[in-house]
């Protein structure tokens, strides 16, 4: 079983839609969870991170962790064409990160 | 502030050739990482370093070597390139202060081995 699993998509939505991106993980000891955004032909950039369970909101973005089901989510409200990118979940594993394969999102105007 | 800079940005190698990828960071970060990114596989850790003079193996280290002679530089070497090493390579760095800190990535190196 992979440590982090993520639906690779691609996912296409119309502008203004609510987007839900999800990952599952295998190790219940993980505590820190991150979402990175990667535009085409660029390096990933940190979007948000959360510690343990619960929600964290930043503008149109909400990150959610459910440790009981080992499930992490990123919600994007009022999605914009500029949100079109690949979204990678990542988990802190001590000295390094383990990344999901990423979900490619297209927001159509 | 340049952040993390990778050299070169593109390269085509013939099978069996060698090359070195250079990663330079100007943020005085202790930790540096080399990842490869392949379609459907995400970012996979090749090697990493927790400080000058240290290196450690990641998830997919075979066929690669690294060196961290200076704190700001992390070199990734391919001694005898194989087509399976065709990939996009990303370097990242992060500060050691705090439990978890953001990883800053370079722009990537697109390597094709023919």
């Amino acid at each position: 079983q992979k440590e982090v699993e993520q639906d690779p998509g691609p996912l296409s939505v119309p502008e203004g839609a609510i987007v839900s991106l999800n990952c599952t993980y295998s190790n219940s000891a993980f505590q820190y969870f991150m979402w990175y955004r990667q535009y085409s032909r660029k390096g990933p950039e940190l979007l948000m991170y959360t510690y343990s369970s619960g929600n964290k909101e930043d503008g149109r973005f909400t990150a959610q962790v459910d440790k009981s089901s080992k499930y992490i989510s990123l919600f994007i409200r009022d999605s914009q064409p500029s949100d079109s990118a690949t979204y990678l979940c990542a988990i802190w594993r001590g000295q390094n990160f383990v990344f999901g394969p990423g979900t490619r999102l297209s927001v159509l105007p | 502030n340049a952040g993390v800079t990778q050299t070169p940005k593109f390269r085509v190698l013939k099978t069996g050739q060698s090359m070195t990828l250079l990663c330079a960071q100007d943020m005085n970060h202790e930790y540096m990482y080399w990842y490869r990114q392949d379609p459907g596989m995400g970012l996979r850790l090749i090697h990493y370093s927790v400080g000058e003079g240290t290196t450690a193996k990641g998830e997919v280290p075979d066929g690669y070597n690294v060196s961290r002679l200076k704190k700001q530089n992390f070199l990734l070497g391919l001694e005898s390139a194989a087509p399976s090493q065709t990939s996009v390579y990303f370097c990242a760095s992060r500060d050691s202060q705090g439990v978890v800190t953001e990883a800053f990535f370079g722009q990537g190196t697109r390597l094709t081995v023919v």
Side-chain angles (χ1 to χ4, degrees), chain A residues 36-46 84-88, chain B residues 4 6 9-10 37 43 88-91 104-110:
Chain A
Y36 279 78
R37 180 173 59 194
Q38 184 177 21
Y39 290 113
S40 180
R41 296 185 173 266
K42 300 289 186 183
E45 296 177 309
L46 181 66
S84 298
T86 296
Y87 291 81
L88 303 103
Chain B
V4 179
Q6 292 183 230
K9 291 184 171 48
F10 304 93
Q37 188 174 38
L43 286 162
V88 181
Y89 292 85
F90 286 100
C91 175
F104 292 86
F105 284 82
Q107 294 284 73
T109 296
R110 293 184 172 272

mmCIF file of all heavy atoms in Angstrom, chain A residues 36-46 84-88, chain B residues 4 6 9-10 37 43 88-91 104-110:
data_model
loop_
_atom_site.group_PDB
_atom_site.id
_atom_site.type_symbol
_atom_site.label_atom_id
_atom_site.label_comp_id
_atom_site.label_asym_id
_atom_site.label_seq_id
_atom_site.Cartn_x
_atom_site.Cartn_y
_atom_site.Cartn_z
ATOM 1 N N TYR A 36 0.388 21.376 -1.891
ATOM 2 C CA TYR A 36 1.221 22.164 -2.782
ATOM 3 C C TYR A 36 0.484 22.340 -4.107
ATOM 4 O O TYR A 36 -0.241 21.451 -4.554
ATOM 5 C CB TYR A 36 2.564 21.465 -3.043
ATOM 6 C CG TYR A 36 3.583 21.671 -1.948
ATOM 7 C CD1 TYR A 36 3.518 20.949 -0.756
ATOM 8 C CD2 TYR A 36 4.603 22.600 -2.098
ATOM 9 C CE1 TYR A 36 4.451 21.143 0.247
ATOM 10 C CE2 TYR A 36 5.543 22.804 -1.095
ATOM 11 C CZ TYR A 36 5.458 22.069 0.071
ATOM 12 O OH TYR A 36 6.381 22.276 1.066
ATOM 13 N N ARG A 37 0.717 23.471 -4.739
ATOM 14 C CA ARG A 37 0.148 23.759 -6.052
ATOM 15 C C ARG A 37 1.306 23.852 -7.037
ATOM 16 O O ARG A 37 2.325 24.488 -6.759
ATOM 17 C CB ARG A 37 -0.631 25.084 -6.025
ATOM 18 C CG ARG A 37 -1.265 25.477 -7.344
ATOM 19 C CD ARG A 37 -2.141 26.694 -7.163
ATOM 20 N NE ARG A 37 -1.405 27.838 -6.645
ATOM 21 C CZ ARG A 37 -1.981 28.926 -6.156
ATOM 22 N NH1 ARG A 37 -3.300 29.033 -6.117
ATOM 23 N NH2 ARG A 37 -1.241 29.922 -5.714
ATOM 24 N N GLN A 38 1.125 23.214 -8.193
ATOM 25 C CA GLN A 38 2.181 23.210 -9.203
ATOM 26 C C GLN A 38 1.592 23.626 -10.547
ATOM 27 O O GLN A 38 0.780 22.886 -11.126
ATOM 28 C CB GLN A 38 2.820 21.819 -9.315
ATOM 29 C CG GLN A 38 3.979 21.752 -10.277
ATOM 30 C CD GLN A 38 4.633 20.384 -10.308
ATOM 31 O OE1 GLN A 38 4.032 19.385 -9.929
ATOM 32 N NE2 GLN A 38 5.870 20.335 -10.752
ATOM 33 N N TYR A 39 2.006 24.781 -11.024
ATOM 34 C CA TYR A 39 1.618 25.211 -12.363
ATOM 35 C C TYR A 39 2.481 24.486 -13.384
ATOM 36 O O TYR A 39 3.586 24.013 -13.088
ATOM 37 C CB TYR A 39 1.758 26.723 -12.505
ATOM 38 C CG TYR A 39 0.743 27.508 -11.706
ATOM 39 C CD1 TYR A 39 1.120 28.305 -10.632
ATOM 40 C CD2 TYR A 39 -0.611 27.441 -12.026
ATOM 41 C CE1 TYR A 39 0.194 29.031 -9.893
ATOM 42 C CE2 TYR A 39 -1.552 28.151 -11.292
ATOM 43 C CZ TYR A 39 -1.145 28.934 -10.228
ATOM 44 O OH TYR A 39 -2.069 29.638 -9.504
ATOM 45 N N SER A 40 1.974 24.420 -14.612
ATOM 46 C CA SER A 40 2.647 23.673 -15.664
ATOM 47 C C SER A 40 4.085 24.164 -15.853
ATOM 48 O O SER A 40 4.344 25.362 -15.942
ATOM 49 C CB SER A 40 1.862 23.832 -16.970
ATOM 50 O OG SER A 40 2.486 23.133 -18.013
ATOM 51 N N ARG A 41 5.014 23.218 -15.846
ATOM 52 C CA ARG A 41 6.433 23.483 -16.083
ATOM 53 C C ARG A 41 7.058 24.375 -14.997
ATOM 54 O O ARG A 41 8.033 25.088 -15.265
ATOM 55 C CB ARG A 41 6.666 24.067 -17.467
ATOM 56 C CG ARG A 41 6.276 23.085 -18.576
ATOM 57 C CD ARG A 41 6.601 23.582 -19.958
ATOM 58 N NE ARG A 41 6.364 22.541 -20.933
ATOM 59 C CZ ARG A 41 7.302 21.704 -21.369
ATOM 60 N NH1 ARG A 41 8.533 21.807 -20.940
ATOM 61 N NH2 ARG A 41 7.008 20.769 -22.254
ATOM 62 N N LYS A 42 6.480 24.326 -13.806
ATOM 63 C CA LYS A 42 7.031 25.062 -12.667
ATOM 64 C C LYS A 42 7.251 24.108 -11.497
ATOM 65 O O LYS A 42 6.761 22.978 -11.509
ATOM 66 C CB LYS A 42 6.066 26.169 -12.220
ATOM 67 C CG LYS A 42 5.750 27.197 -13.284
ATOM 68 C CD LYS A 42 6.922 28.081 -13.570
ATOM 69 C CE LYS A 42 6.532 29.203 -14.527
ATOM 70 N NZ LYS A 42 7.704 30.041 -14.876
ATOM 71 N N GLY A 43 7.982 24.558 -10.494
ATOM 72 C CA GLY A 43 8.130 23.779 -9.282
ATOM 73 C C GLY A 43 6.913 23.947 -8.376
ATOM 74 O O GLY A 43 6.197 24.942 -8.464
ATOM 75 N N PRO A 44 6.651 22.979 -7.495
ATOM 76 C CA PRO A 44 5.526 23.100 -6.561
ATOM 77 C C PRO A 44 5.745 24.250 -5.582
ATOM 78 O O PRO A 44 6.871 24.571 -5.224
ATOM 79 C CB PRO A 44 5.546 21.749 -5.817
ATOM 80 C CG PRO A 44 6.324 20.824 -6.688
ATOM 81 C CD PRO A 44 7.331 21.672 -7.377
ATOM 82 N N GLU A 45 4.630 24.833 -5.148
ATOM 83 C CA GLU A 45 4.657 25.899 -4.141
ATOM 84 C C GLU A 45 3.660 25.545 -3.043
ATOM 85 O O GLU A 45 2.557 25.068 -3.335
ATOM 86 C CB GLU A 45 4.262 27.237 -4.755
ATOM 87 C CG GLU A 45 5.221 27.757 -5.815
ATOM 88 C CD GLU A 45 4.723 29.045 -6.433
ATOM 89 O OE1 GLU A 45 3.555 29.091 -6.865
ATOM 90 O OE2 GLU A 45 5.506 30.022 -6.471
ATOM 91 N N LEU A 46 4.046 25.808 -1.797
ATOM 92 C CA LEU A 46 3.157 25.506 -0.676
ATOM 93 C C LEU A 46 1.914 26.374 -0.734
ATOM 94 O O LEU A 46 1.983 27.600 -0.843
ATOM 95 C CB LEU A 46 3.885 25.728 0.647
ATOM 96 C CG LEU A 46 3.070 25.416 1.896
ATOM 97 C CD1 LEU A 46 2.772 23.918 1.972
ATOM 98 C CD2 LEU A 46 3.807 25.876 3.153
ATOM 99 N N SER A 84 -6.203 26.704 -12.207
ATOM 100 C CA SER A 84 -5.839 25.536 -13.024
ATOM 101 C C SER A 84 -4.378 25.183 -12.788
ATOM 102 O O SER A 84 -3.478 25.984 -13.071
ATOM 103 C CB SER A 84 -6.077 25.840 -14.512
ATOM 104 O OG SER A 84 -7.443 26.100 -14.759
ATOM 105 N N ALA A 85 -4.157 24.002 -12.256
ATOM 106 C CA ALA A 85 -2.822 23.565 -11.846
ATOM 107 C C ALA A 85 -2.935 22.118 -11.385
ATOM 108 O O ALA A 85 -4.027 21.539 -11.364
ATOM 109 C CB ALA A 85 -2.289 24.439 -10.714
ATOM 110 N N THR A 86 -1.803 21.557 -11.000
ATOM 111 C CA THR A 86 -1.798 20.250 -10.345
ATOM 112 C C THR A 86 -1.648 20.473 -8.842
ATOM 113 O O THR A 86 -0.789 21.255 -8.418
ATOM 114 C CB THR A 86 -0.648 19.375 -10.869
ATOM 115 O OG1 THR A 86 -0.860 19.117 -12.260
ATOM 116 C CG2 THR A 86 -0.593 18.045 -10.123
ATOM 117 N N TYR A 87 -2.485 19.802 -8.067
ATOM 118 C CA TYR A 87 -2.474 19.950 -6.610
ATOM 119 C C TYR A 87 -1.939 18.661 -5.991
ATOM 120 O O TYR A 87 -2.463 17.574 -6.244
ATOM 121 C CB TYR A 87 -3.881 20.269 -6.096
ATOM 122 C CG TYR A 87 -4.318 21.650 -6.522
ATOM 123 C CD1 TYR A 87 -4.813 21.882 -7.792
ATOM 124 C CD2 TYR A 87 -4.195 22.731 -5.653
ATOM 125 C CE1 TYR A 87 -5.178 23.157 -8.211
ATOM 126 C CE2 TYR A 87 -4.558 24.017 -6.053
ATOM 127 C CZ TYR A 87 -5.041 24.213 -7.335
ATOM 128 O OH TYR A 87 -5.396 25.481 -7.739
ATOM 129 N N LEU A 88 -0.886 18.805 -5.209
ATOM 130 C CA LEU A 88 -0.242 17.656 -4.577
ATOM 131 C C LEU A 88 -0.439 17.726 -3.069
ATOM 132 O O LEU A 88 -0.145 18.749 -2.450
ATOM 133 C CB LEU A 88 1.262 17.632 -4.862
ATOM 134 C CG LEU A 88 1.708 17.614 -6.315
ATOM 135 C CD1 LEU A 88 2.198 18.981 -6.740
ATOM 136 C CD2 LEU A 88 2.837 16.606 -6.505
ATOM 137 N N VAL B 4 15.732 28.986 -4.892
ATOM 138 C CA VAL B 4 16.372 27.738 -5.290
ATOM 139 C C VAL B 4 16.560 27.766 -6.802
ATOM 140 O O VAL B 4 15.586 27.947 -7.539
ATOM 141 C CB VAL B 4 15.530 26.508 -4.884
ATOM 142 C CG1 VAL B 4 16.212 25.227 -5.335
ATOM 143 C CG2 VAL B 4 15.305 26.491 -3.381
ATOM 144 N N GLN B 6 18.151 25.776 -10.176
ATOM 145 C CA GLN B 6 18.645 24.520 -10.732
ATOM 146 C C GLN B 6 19.324 24.774 -12.075
ATOM 147 O O GLN B 6 18.834 25.553 -12.890
ATOM 148 C CB GLN B 6 17.497 23.532 -10.933
ATOM 149 C CG GLN B 6 16.898 23.035 -9.642
ATOM 150 C CD GLN B 6 15.801 22.007 -9.888
ATOM 151 O OE1 GLN B 6 14.705 22.123 -9.350
ATOM 152 N NE2 GLN B 6 16.103 20.998 -10.688
ATOM 153 N N LYS B 9 18.422 23.658 -17.078
ATOM 154 C CA LYS B 9 16.964 23.523 -17.127
ATOM 155 C C LYS B 9 16.531 22.390 -18.047
ATOM 156 O O LYS B 9 15.482 21.769 -17.850
ATOM 157 C CB LYS B 9 16.327 24.836 -17.571
ATOM 158 C CG LYS B 9 16.449 25.940 -16.536
ATOM 159 C CD LYS B 9 15.745 27.199 -16.952
ATOM 160 C CE LYS B 9 15.684 28.219 -15.813
ATOM 161 N NZ LYS B 9 16.988 28.425 -15.145
ATOM 162 N N PHE B 10 17.302 22.110 -19.073
ATOM 163 C CA PHE B 10 16.997 21.035 -20.019
ATOM 164 C C PHE B 10 18.306 20.327 -20.372
ATOM 165 O O PHE B 10 19.363 20.946 -20.415
ATOM 166 C CB PHE B 10 16.398 21.577 -21.328
ATOM 167 C CG PHE B 10 15.177 22.401 -21.149
ATOM 168 C CD1 PHE B 10 15.264 23.769 -21.037
ATOM 169 C CD2 PHE B 10 13.928 21.803 -21.099
ATOM 170 C CE1 PHE B 10 14.119 24.549 -20.870
ATOM 171 C CE2 PHE B 10 12.781 22.573 -20.931
ATOM 172 C CZ PHE B 10 12.885 23.942 -20.821
ATOM 173 N N GLN B 37 10.094 13.573 -10.797
ATOM 174 C CA GLN B 37 8.647 13.595 -10.999
ATOM 175 C C GLN B 37 8.325 12.944 -12.323
ATOM 176 O O GLN B 37 8.780 13.390 -13.380
ATOM 177 C CB GLN B 37 8.103 15.026 -10.958
ATOM 178 C CG GLN B 37 6.575 15.089 -10.980
ATOM 179 C CD GLN B 37 6.051 16.498 -10.789
ATOM 180 O OE1 GLN B 37 6.616 17.465 -11.292
ATOM 181 N NE2 GLN B 37 4.945 16.636 -10.044
ATOM 182 N N LEU B 43 6.025 13.064 -6.937
ATOM 183 C CA LEU B 43 7.400 13.387 -6.577
ATOM 184 C C LEU B 43 7.967 12.256 -5.732
ATOM 185 O O LEU B 43 7.411 11.904 -4.694
ATOM 186 C CB LEU B 43 7.441 14.689 -5.770
ATOM 187 C CG LEU B 43 7.206 15.973 -6.547
ATOM 188 C CD1 LEU B 43 6.828 17.102 -5.602
ATOM 189 C CD2 LEU B 43 8.453 16.349 -7.334
ATOM 190 N N VAL B 88 11.621 14.611 -14.879
ATOM 191 C CA VAL B 88 11.829 15.994 -14.454
ATOM 192 C C VAL B 88 12.358 15.950 -13.027
ATOM 193 O O VAL B 88 11.745 15.319 -12.160
ATOM 194 C CB VAL B 88 10.531 16.827 -14.514
ATOM 195 C CG1 VAL B 88 10.817 18.267 -14.090
ATOM 196 C CG2 VAL B 88 9.937 16.792 -15.910
ATOM 197 N N TYR B 89 13.486 16.589 -12.804
ATOM 198 C CA TYR B 89 14.147 16.555 -11.512
ATOM 199 C C TYR B 89 13.944 17.889 -10.798
ATOM 200 O O TYR B 89 14.161 18.955 -11.373
ATOM 201 C CB TYR B 89 15.642 16.262 -11.681
ATOM 202 C CG TYR B 89 15.895 14.867 -12.164
ATOM 203 C CD1 TYR B 89 15.870 14.556 -13.527
ATOM 204 C CD2 TYR B 89 16.127 13.831 -11.258
ATOM 205 C CE1 TYR B 89 16.078 13.265 -13.973
ATOM 206 C CE2 TYR B 89 16.336 12.534 -11.697
ATOM 207 C CZ TYR B 89 16.314 12.260 -13.048
ATOM 208 O OH TYR B 89 16.501 10.977 -13.484
ATOM 209 N N PHE B 90 13.520 17.799 -9.546
ATOM 210 C CA PHE B 90 13.318 18.991 -8.731
ATOM 211 C C PHE B 90 14.205 18.948 -7.499
ATOM 212 O O PHE B 90 14.309 17.919 -6.832
ATOM 213 C CB PHE B 90 11.860 19.108 -8.280
ATOM 214 C CG PHE B 90 10.919 19.530 -9.361
ATOM 215 C CD1 PHE B 90 10.142 18.598 -10.017
ATOM 216 C CD2 PHE B 90 10.808 20.861 -9.708
ATOM 217 C CE1 PHE B 90 9.269 18.979 -11.026
ATOM 218 C CE2 PHE B 90 9.937 21.265 -10.713
ATOM 219 C CZ PHE B 90 9.172 20.316 -11.377
ATOM 220 N N CYS B 91 14.794 20.075 -7.222
ATOM 221 C CA CYS B 91 15.530 20.274 -5.986
ATOM 222 C C CYS B 91 14.670 21.118 -5.057
ATOM 223 O O CYS B 91 13.893 21.976 -5.517
ATOM 224 C CB CYS B 91 16.849 20.989 -6.283
ATOM 225 S SG CYS B 91 17.802 21.433 -4.828
ATOM 226 N N PHE B 104 10.944 24.827 -0.340
ATOM 227 C CA PHE B 104 10.987 25.694 -1.507
ATOM 228 C C PHE B 104 11.621 24.913 -2.655
ATOM 229 O O PHE B 104 12.697 24.338 -2.493
ATOM 230 C CB PHE B 104 11.814 26.948 -1.213
ATOM 231 C CG PHE B 104 11.177 27.867 -0.213
ATOM 232 C CD1 PHE B 104 11.375 27.667 1.142
ATOM 233 C CD2 PHE B 104 10.381 28.918 -0.626
ATOM 234 C CE1 PHE B 104 10.780 28.503 2.083
ATOM 235 C CE2 PHE B 104 9.793 29.765 0.305
ATOM 236 C CZ PHE B 104 9.993 29.550 1.658
ATOM 237 N N PHE B 105 10.949 24.911 -3.793
ATOM 238 C CA PHE B 105 11.394 24.126 -4.932
ATOM 239 C C PHE B 105 12.023 24.996 -6.010
ATOM 240 O O PHE B 105 11.647 26.160 -6.193
ATOM 241 C CB PHE B 105 10.204 23.371 -5.552
ATOM 242 C CG PHE B 105 9.766 22.176 -4.761
ATOM 243 C CD1 PHE B 105 8.937 22.317 -3.666
ATOM 244 C CD2 PHE B 105 10.205 20.907 -5.114
ATOM 245 C CE1 PHE B 105 8.529 21.206 -2.933
ATOM 246 C CE2 PHE B 105 9.808 19.795 -4.395
ATOM 247 C CZ PHE B 105 8.979 19.946 -3.300
ATOM 248 N N GLY B 106 12.952 24.402 -6.743
ATOM 249 C CA GLY B 106 13.468 25.020 -7.936
ATOM 250 C C GLY B 106 12.506 24.834 -9.096
ATOM 251 O O GLY B 106 11.427 24.237 -8.942
ATOM 252 N N GLN B 107 12.917 25.313 -10.271
ATOM 253 C CA GLN B 107 12.050 25.275 -11.451
ATOM 254 C C GLN B 107 12.089 23.937 -12.172
ATOM 255 O O GLN B 107 11.289 23.688 -13.074
ATOM 256 C CB GLN B 107 12.470 26.374 -12.430
ATOM 257 C CG GLN B 107 12.238 27.769 -11.898
ATOM 258 C CD GLN B 107 10.783 28.163 -11.958
ATOM 259 O OE1 GLN B 107 9.948 27.690 -11.194
ATOM 260 N NE2 GLN B 107 10.454 29.031 -12.883
ATOM 261 N N GLY B 108 13.012 23.088 -11.793
ATOM 262 C CA GLY B 108 13.063 21.767 -12.406
ATOM 263 C C GLY B 108 14.090 21.662 -13.518
ATOM 264 O O GLY B 108 14.439 22.655 -14.169
ATOM 265 N N THR B 109 14.573 20.451 -13.728
ATOM 266 C CA THR B 109 15.458 20.108 -14.848
ATOM 267 C C THR B 109 14.804 18.985 -15.625
ATOM 268 O O THR B 109 14.526 17.924 -15.063
ATOM 269 C CB THR B 109 16.843 19.647 -14.354
ATOM 270 O OG1 THR B 109 17.497 20.722 -13.688
ATOM 271 C CG2 THR B 109 17.701 19.190 -15.536
ATOM 272 N N ARG B 110 14.551 19.237 -16.906
ATOM 273 C CA ARG B 110 13.953 18.198 -17.754
ATOM 274 C C ARG B 110 15.073 17.423 -18.421
ATOM 275 O O ARG B 110 15.808 17.974 -19.236
ATOM 276 C CB ARG B 110 13.042 18.823 -18.800
ATOM 277 C CG ARG B 110 11.831 19.466 -18.207
ATOM 278 C CD ARG B 110 10.867 20.006 -19.231
ATOM 279 N NE ARG B 110 9.652 20.440 -18.563
ATOM 280 C CZ ARG B 110 8.622 19.658 -18.308
ATOM 281 N NH1 ARG B 110 8.644 18.401 -18.715
ATOM 282 N NH2 ARG B 110 7.567 20.110 -17.671
#
